[in-house]
Coordinates of all heavy atoms in Angstrom, one line a residue:
A25 N -66.3 151.1 110.7 CA -65.9 151.0 109.2 C -64.6 150.3 108.9 O -64.7 149.4 108.0 CB -65.8 152.5 108.6
E26 N -63.7 150.4 109.7 CA -62.4 149.6 109.6 C -62.6 148.2 109.8 O -62.0 147.4 109.1 CB -61.3 150.3 110.6 CG -60.7 151.6 110.0 CD -59.6 152.0 110.9 OE1 -58.9 151.2 111.7 OE2 -59.2 153.2 110.9
K27 N -63.3 147.8 110.8 CA -63.6 146.4 111.1 C -64.4 145.8 109.9 O -64.1 144.7 109.5 CB -64.3 146.3 112.4 CG -63.4 146.5 113.5 CD -64.2 146.4 114.9 CE -63.3 146.6 116.1 NZ -64.1 146.5 117.3
Q28 N -65.4 146.6 109.4 CA -66.2 146.0 108.2 C -65.3 145.8 107.1 O -65.5 144.9 106.3 CB -67.3 147.0 107.9 CG -68.4 146.8 109.0 CD -69.6 147.9 108.7 OE1 -69.4 148.9 108.0 NE2 -70.7 147.6 109.3
A29 N -64.4 146.8 106.8 CA -63.5 146.7 105.7 C -62.6 145.5 105.8 O -62.4 144.8 104.8 CB -62.6 147.9 105.5
L30 N -62.1 145.2 107.0 CA -61.4 144.0 107.3 C -62.1 142.8 107.0 O -61.6 141.8 106.3 CB -60.7 144.0 108.7 CG -59.9 142.9 109.1 CD1 -58.6 142.7 108.2 CD2 -59.3 143.2 110.5
K31 N -63.3 142.7 107.6 CA -64.2 141.6 107.3 C -64.4 141.3 105.8 O -64.3 140.2 105.3 CB -65.5 141.6 108.0 CG -65.4 141.5 109.5 CD -66.9 141.6 110.0 CE -66.8 141.6 111.6 NZ -68.2 141.8 112.2
K32 N -64.8 142.4 105.1 CA -64.9 142.3 103.6 C -63.8 141.8 102.9 O -63.8 140.9 102.0 CB -65.4 143.6 103.1 CG -66.8 144.1 103.5 CD -67.1 145.5 102.9 CE -68.4 145.9 103.4 NZ -68.8 147.2 102.9
S33 N -62.6 142.2 103.3 CA -61.3 141.7 102.7 C -61.2 140.3 103.0 O -60.8 139.5 102.0 CB -60.2 142.5 103.2 OG -59.0 142.0 102.7
L34 N -61.3 139.8 104.2 CA -61.2 138.4 104.5 C -62.3 137.5 103.7 O -62.0 136.5 103.2 CB -61.4 138.1 106.0 CG -60.2 138.8 106.8 CD1 -60.6 138.7 108.3 CD2 -58.8 138.1 106.6
M35 N -63.5 138.0 103.7 CA -64.5 137.4 102.9 C -64.2 137.3 101.5 O -64.5 136.3 100.8 CB -65.9 137.9 103.2 CG -66.4 137.8 104.6 SD -67.9 138.7 105.0 CE -69.0 137.4 104.5
C36 N -63.7 138.3 100.9 CA -63.4 138.3 99.5 C -62.2 137.2 99.2 O -62.3 136.5 98.2 CB -62.8 139.7 99.0 SG -64.1 140.8 98.8
E37 N -61.3 137.0 100.2 CA -60.4 136.1 100.0 C -60.9 134.7 100.0 O -60.5 133.8 99.2 CB -59.3 136.2 101.1 CG -58.3 137.3 100.8 CD -57.5 137.2 99.5 OE1 -57.0 136.2 99.2 OE2 -57.4 138.3 98.9
L38 N -61.9 134.4 100.9 CA -62.5 133.2 101.0 C -63.4 132.9 99.7 O -63.2 131.8 99.2 CB -63.5 133.1 102.2 CG -62.8 132.8 103.6 CD1 -63.7 133.1 104.7 CD2 -62.4 131.4 103.6
A39 N -64.2 133.7 99.3 CA -64.8 133.6 98.1 C -64.1 133.4 96.9 O -64.4 132.5 96.1 CB -65.8 134.9 97.9
K40 N -62.9 134.0 96.7 CA -62.0 133.8 95.7 C -61.4 132.4 95.8 O -61.3 131.7 94.7 CB -60.8 134.9 95.8 CG -59.9 134.9 94.6 CD -58.9 136.2 94.7 CE -57.6 135.7 95.0 NZ -56.7 136.8 95.1
W41 N -61.1 132.0 97.0 CA -60.5 130.6 97.1 C -61.6 129.7 96.7 O -61.3 128.6 96.0 CB -60.1 130.4 98.6 CG -59.8 129.0 98.9 CD1 -58.7 128.2 98.6 CD2 -60.7 128.1 99.5 NE1 -58.7 127.0 99.1 CE2 -60.0 126.8 99.6 CE3 -61.9 128.1 100.1 CZ2 -60.6 125.8 100.2 CZ3 -62.5 127.0 100.8 CH2 -61.7 125.9 100.8
I42 N -62.8 129.8 97.1 CA -63.9 128.9 96.7 C -64.0 128.9 95.2 O -64.1 127.8 94.6 CB -65.3 129.3 97.3 CG1 -65.2 129.1 98.8 CG2 -66.4 128.5 96.8 CD1 -66.2 129.7 99.8
E43 N -64.0 130.1 94.6 CA -64.2 130.1 93.1 C -63.0 129.5 92.4 O -63.2 128.7 91.5 CB -64.3 131.6 92.7 CG -64.6 131.7 91.2 CD -64.9 133.3 90.8 OE1 -65.3 134.0 91.6 OE2 -64.5 133.5 89.7
E44 N -61.8 129.8 92.8 CA -60.6 129.4 92.0 C -60.4 127.8 92.3 O -59.9 127.1 91.4 CB -59.4 130.1 92.5 CG -59.3 131.5 92.2 CD -58.2 132.3 92.7 OE1 -57.4 131.7 93.6 OE2 -57.9 133.4 92.3
S45 N -60.9 127.4 93.4 CA -60.9 125.8 93.7 C -62.0 125.1 93.0 O -62.0 123.9 93.1 CB -60.9 125.6 95.2 OG -59.7 126.2 95.8
K46 N -62.9 125.9 92.4 CA -64.1 125.3 91.8 C -64.9 124.4 92.7 O -65.3 123.2 92.4 CB -63.7 124.6 90.5 CG -63.1 125.5 89.5 CD -62.8 124.8 88.2 CE -62.2 125.6 87.1 NZ -61.5 126.8 87.2
L47 N -65.0 124.8 93.9 CA -65.7 124.0 95.0 C -67.3 124.4 95.0 O -67.6 125.5 94.8 CB -65.1 124.3 96.3 CG -63.7 123.9 96.7 CD1 -63.2 124.5 97.9 CD2 -63.6 122.4 96.7
K48 N -68.0 123.4 95.2 CA -69.4 123.6 95.6 C -69.5 124.1 97.0 O -68.4 123.8 97.8 CB -70.2 122.2 95.4 CG -70.2 121.8 93.9 CD -71.0 120.6 93.8 CE -71.1 120.1 92.3 NZ -71.8 119.0 92.2
Q49 N -70.5 124.8 97.4 CA -70.6 125.4 98.7 C -70.5 124.3 99.8 O -69.9 124.4 100.8 CB -71.8 126.3 98.9 CG -71.7 127.6 98.1 CD -72.9 128.5 98.4 OE1 -73.7 128.2 99.2 NE2 -72.9 129.7 97.7
A50 N -71.1 123.2 99.5 CA -71.2 122.0 100.4 C -69.8 121.5 100.7 O -69.4 121.2 101.7 CB -72.1 120.9 99.9
D51 N -69.0 121.4 99.6 CA -67.6 120.9 99.8 C -66.8 121.9 100.4 O -66.0 121.7 101.3 CB -67.0 120.6 98.3 CG -67.8 119.5 97.6 OD1 -68.3 118.5 98.3 OD2 -67.9 119.6 96.4
A52 N -66.9 123.2 100.1 CA -66.3 124.2 100.9 C -66.6 124.3 102.3 O -65.7 124.4 103.2 CB -66.5 125.7 100.2
A53 N -67.8 124.0 102.6 CA -68.2 123.9 104.1 C -67.5 122.8 104.8 O -67.1 123.0 105.9 CB -69.8 123.8 104.1
D54 N -67.5 121.6 104.1 CA -66.7 120.5 104.8 C -65.3 120.9 105.1 O -64.8 120.7 106.1 CB -66.7 119.3 103.9 CG -68.1 118.6 103.9 OD1 -68.9 118.9 104.8 OD2 -68.4 118.0 102.9
I55 N -64.6 121.5 104.2 CA -63.2 122.0 104.4 C -63.1 123.0 105.5 O -62.2 123.0 106.2 CB -62.6 122.4 103.0 CG1 -62.6 121.3 102.0 CG2 -61.2 123.0 103.3 CD1 -62.2 121.7 100.6
L56 N -63.9 123.9 105.4 CA -63.9 125.2 106.3 C -64.5 124.8 107.7 O -64.3 125.6 108.6 CB -64.6 126.3 105.7 CG -64.1 126.8 104.4 CD1 -65.0 128.0 103.8 CD2 -62.7 127.2 104.5
G57 N -65.1 123.7 107.9 CA -65.6 123.3 109.2 C -66.9 124.2 109.6 O -67.2 124.5 110.7
V58 N -67.6 124.5 108.6 CA -68.9 125.3 108.8 C -70.1 124.7 108.0 O -69.8 123.7 107.3 CB -68.7 126.7 108.4 CG1 -67.6 127.5 109.2 CG2 -68.3 126.9 106.9
T59 N -71.3 125.2 108.2 CA -72.4 124.6 107.4 C -72.4 125.5 105.9 O -71.7 126.3 105.8 CB -73.7 125.1 108.1 OG1 -73.8 126.5 108.2 CG2 -73.7 124.4 109.5
R60 N -73.1 124.8 105.1 CA -73.2 125.3 103.8 C -73.9 126.7 103.8 O -73.5 127.6 103.1 CB -74.1 124.3 102.8 CG -73.8 124.7 101.5 CD -75.1 124.7 100.5 NE -76.3 125.1 101.2 CZ -76.7 126.4 101.1 NH1 -76.1 127.4 100.6 NH2 -77.9 126.6 101.7
P61 N -74.9 127.0 104.6 CA -75.5 128.3 104.7 C -74.3 129.4 105.1 O -74.5 130.5 104.6 CB -76.6 128.2 105.8 CG -77.0 126.8 105.6 CD -75.7 126.0 105.4
R62 N -73.5 128.9 106.0 CA -72.4 129.9 106.4 C -71.5 130.2 105.2 O -71.1 131.4 105.0 CB -71.5 129.2 107.4 CG -72.2 129.2 108.8 CD -72.6 130.4 109.5 NE -71.4 131.0 110.2 CZ -71.2 132.1 110.8 NH1 -72.3 133.0 110.6 NH2 -70.1 132.5 111.3
V63 N -71.3 129.3 104.3 CA -70.5 129.5 103.1 C -71.2 130.4 102.2 O -70.7 131.2 101.6 CB -70.1 128.2 102.4 CG1 -69.4 128.4 101.1 CG2 -69.2 127.4 103.2

């Protein structure tokens, strides 16, 4: 549960950054070095 809570917190920060930066998932993927499905 503690590890899941930490992951959720990190994911929320990423999702917030994507939203605040007004990025499309493909653009966020390029910046983050992952695929669009990962975003």
Side-chain angles (χ1 to χ4, degrees):
E26 283 187 19
K27 287 179 183 179
Q28 287 176 341
L30 181 54
K31 286 182 186 182
K32 287 178 185 178
S33 177
L34 294 169
M35 292 177 87
C36 283
E37 287 298 320
L38 279 166
K40 187 170 108 179
W41 169 76
I42 292 166
E43 184 179 329
E44 288 175 352
S45 300
K46 296 180 177 29
L47 292 170
K48 293 181 180 178
Q49 288 187 4
D51 296 329
D54 287 340
I55 294 167
L56 299 175
V58 297
T59 63
R60 197 227 30 94
R62 293 289 280 168
V63 172

